[in-house]
Amino acid sequence: MILSLFDQFASPTLFGVPLITPALILPWILIPSLTQRWLNSRLPSLQNWFMQRFTQQLLLPLNPAGHKWAILLTSLMVFLITLNTLGLLPYTFTPTTQLSMNLGLAIPLWLATVIIGLRTQPSHALAHLLPEGTPTLLIPVLIIIETISLLIRPLALAVRLTANLTAGHLLIQLVATAILALPSLFPTVAILTTFLLLLLMLLEIAVAMIQAYVFVLLLSLYLQENV
């Protein structure tokens, strides 16, 4: 039972080929390409409106030096939302439930923000390690604590995304398993559980979008500290 619950998070293979690569490529295929038409259809128009609104909200707290990251952060947001929501479909695989992949996204982007801060304003970047007005005896301890908190930021980003998506998938599978076993014993309870599963699916769709937004938002806040 325990093994079957976590089998859904193993990377599937077809003829010995890992299917995580097609799963990572699929979101980019689904994005509508630019056309020469004066008016787009509803889906590209909705997508363009969403990207514009998100980019405006994302760049609002950033100074002009951080606006160079707009394309990267917006693309990452769309990529994560698509991966998270596609993983809710039956017989699909969610790459963002893998901690290794989320670390692969979080560490380079976090490291880029730190390097930018050290290159452009090193004194300001290092000042974050020691709050103003710290007593002399606490200086070594606070520097160690602030350094550790700085280094665990990418780990916190990756673990937050992985844990929320993994918990949602496990809960959905547990409720779906209960629905299959209940009709013969408690038909009324099975109907109520089915309604609960529908609500849980809506909640998980919201969680998939919110977690992608939180991932990118925290990266933009780290960028704000260093530009």
Side-chain angles (χ1 to χ4, degrees):
M1 179 64 180
I2 297 178
L3 290 177
S4 63
L5 285 177
F6 290 92
D7 281 346
Q8 61 177 317
F9 303 113
S11 178
T13 58
L14 181 64
F15 303 113
V17 179
L19 296 183
I20 188 172
T21 302
L24 294 176
I25 296 175
L26 184 59
W28 303 112
I29 298 176
L30 295 177
I31 296 178
S33 58
L34 296 177
T35 63
Q36 300 298 326
R37 299 177 181 176
W38 287 6
L39 294 176
N40 290 325
S41 60
R42 290 183 177 87
L43 180 58
S45 299
L46 180 62
Q47 190 176 49
N48 291 334
W49 175 84
F50 168 76
M51 289 183 178
Q52 290 175 2
R53 298 297 297 178
F54 170 73
T55 305
Q56 291 175 0
Q57 292 295 325
L58 187 66
L59 300 182
L60 192 61
L62 295 178
N63 56 31
H67 293 182
K68 302 174 183 177
W69 287 60
I71 296 178
L72 175 62
L73 295 178
T74 305
S75 301
L76 179 63
M77 172 74 174
V78 175
F79 180 65
L80 289 177
I81 285 181
T82 310
L83 280 181
N84 295 347
T85 51
L86 286 178
L88 296 174
L89 297 175
Y91 302 104
T92 56
F93 171 66
T94 312
T96 44
T97 57
Q98 306 295 312
L99 182 60
S100 57
M101 177 187 164
N102 295 334
L103 284 173
L105 292 174
I107 292 178
L109 294 173
W110 164 82
L111 188 59
T113 62
V114 174
I115 293 175
I116 287 176
L118 293 176
R119 288 187 58 185
T120 57
Q121 41 187 3
S123 59
H124 180 72
L126 295 176
H128 289 294
L129 301 179
L130 185 62
E132 186 178 357
T134 304
T136 306
L137 294 176
L138 296 179
I139 288 178
V141 177
L142 282 180
I143 290 178
I144 295 175
I145 293 174
E146 292 296 330
T147 303
I148 294 175
S149 66
L150 177 65
L151 295 177
I152 66 173
R153 282 181 173 182
L155 180 62
L157 279 176
V159 170
R160 182 185 295 106
L161 181 59
T162 303
N164 281 281
L165 295 179
T166 302
H169 283 63
L170 287 175
L171 190 57
I172 288 174
Q173 184 168 354
L174 287 172
V175 175
T177 304
I179 291 175
L180 294 177
L182 285 175
S184 58
L185 300 175
F186 307 101
T188 305
V189 178
I191 295 174
L192 295 177
T193 309
T194 304
F195 181 70
L196 175 63
L197 180 61
L198 294 177
L199 295 179
L200 187 60
M201 283 296 299
L202 294 177
L203 176 63
E204 189 61 21
I205 292 173
V207 168
M209 295 182 178
I210 291 172
Q211 289 304 316
Y213 175 74
V214 169
F215 189 92
V216 178
L217 179 63
L218 290 176
L219 279 176
S220 68
L221 294 179
Y222 299 157
L223 179 64
Q224 181 184 357
E225 293 180 358
N226 294 283
V227 296

